Amino acid sequence: MKREETVDYNIKGTWLSISRMYNQYGLEFDITASTGFVLLNIDADEGTPATKIAPLMGLEARSLTRMLKTMEEKKWIYREPDPEDGRSVRIFLTDLGKEKREFSRVSVKEFNNRVRELVPDRDLQTFFKVIQIINNVAEDKNVIQNFLSKIELTTTE
């Protein structure tokens, strides 16, 4: 199988193209695709517990910690103790952070509108079904176990 024929190659390649597009568009506003997605996952009014943001984005906590530190230094966010859980911290947007969040929201909306102009709704619905199946396969622990057992078979022969 050629790499161009694999599901993962096409998903990763497409995501890299999308990410590059957002990074290029955000360059003059000092915002990256990653920081934009973090901003979009922070509730503009209530703030968001720091521990909830990483899972929403599929990120490791360490990666998010670095991003939050940078965003705090840029005065886009601030942290406050969570009144419901004294061990936790909530992340809030500053006024500048809200501006950056709005820029990110408009960017995502415009990209999605453009895709929807070019792709018929029926095809998009099929895409969403297929991507959900792919996601389920990727999260299925048995798939990895089967994969590992096949590797063991080929390496011991």
Side-chain angles (χ1 to χ4, degrees):
M1 182 181 307
K2 296 178 184 174
R3 69 178 181 207
E4 295 83 8
E5 297 171 345
T6 64
V7 172
D8 46 355
Y9 176 86
N10 281 282
I11 290 172
K12 180 153 183 141
T14 300
W15 174 247
L16 288 173
S17 294
I18 293 168
S19 185
R20 258 193 316 271
M21 174 202 63
Y22 284 137
N23 286 337
Q24 189 65 37
Y25 184 60
L27 196 59
E28 71 179 88
F29 299 96
D30 188 34
I31 192 165
T32 66
S34 296
T35 55
F37 282 115
V38 170
L39 291 168
L40 290 171
N41 281 287
I42 298 172
D43 186 293
D45 299 316
E46 305 293 321
T48 302
T51 55
K52 301 266 193 222
I53 299 170
L56 288 171
M57 298 182 58
L59 282 176
E60 292 292 324
R62 288 184 302 271
S63 299
L64 179 64
T65 300
R66 285 191 297 270
M67 263 194 279
L68 291 176
K69 185 176 187 289
T70 300
M71 293 167 74
E72 195 169 25
E73 289 168 355
K74 291 180 175 187
K75 309 243 186 278
W76 296 1
I77 62 166
Y78 62 96
R79 303 170 198 238
E80 285 189 1
D82 191 324
E84 297 172 19
D85 180 358
R87 301 165 297 168
S88 184
V89 172
R90 287 185 90 79
I91 307 297
F92 291 89
L93 298 171
T94 63
D95 287 341
L96 181 57
K98 288 177 182 178
E99 287 176 25
K100 300 289 183 178
R101 183 180 193 276
E102 180 61 14
F103 169 82
S104 299
R105 190 189 70 75
V106 169
S107 301
V108 169
K109 190 173 179 180
E110 287 302 314
F111 172 73
N112 278 271
N113 285 341
R114 182 67 176 135
V115 169
R116 288 177 181 279
E117 287 172 8
L118 299 171
V119 180
D121 189 55
R122 185 175 49 97
D123 292 345
L124 270 177
Q125 294 312 311
T126 300
F127 168 77
F128 291 135
K129 286 179 188 172
V130 170
I131 208 76
Q132 183 60 55
I133 292 167
I134 293 167
N135 193 47
N136 292 343
V137 170
E139 290 182 354
D140 183 349
K141 305 282 188 260
N142 292 324
V143 170
I144 298 300
Q145 285 306 113
N146 290 338
F147 172 71
L148 292 174
S149 67
K150 287 178 183 176
I151 289 176
E152 288 172 14
L153 287 174
T154 57
T155 57
T156 57
E157 293 175 356

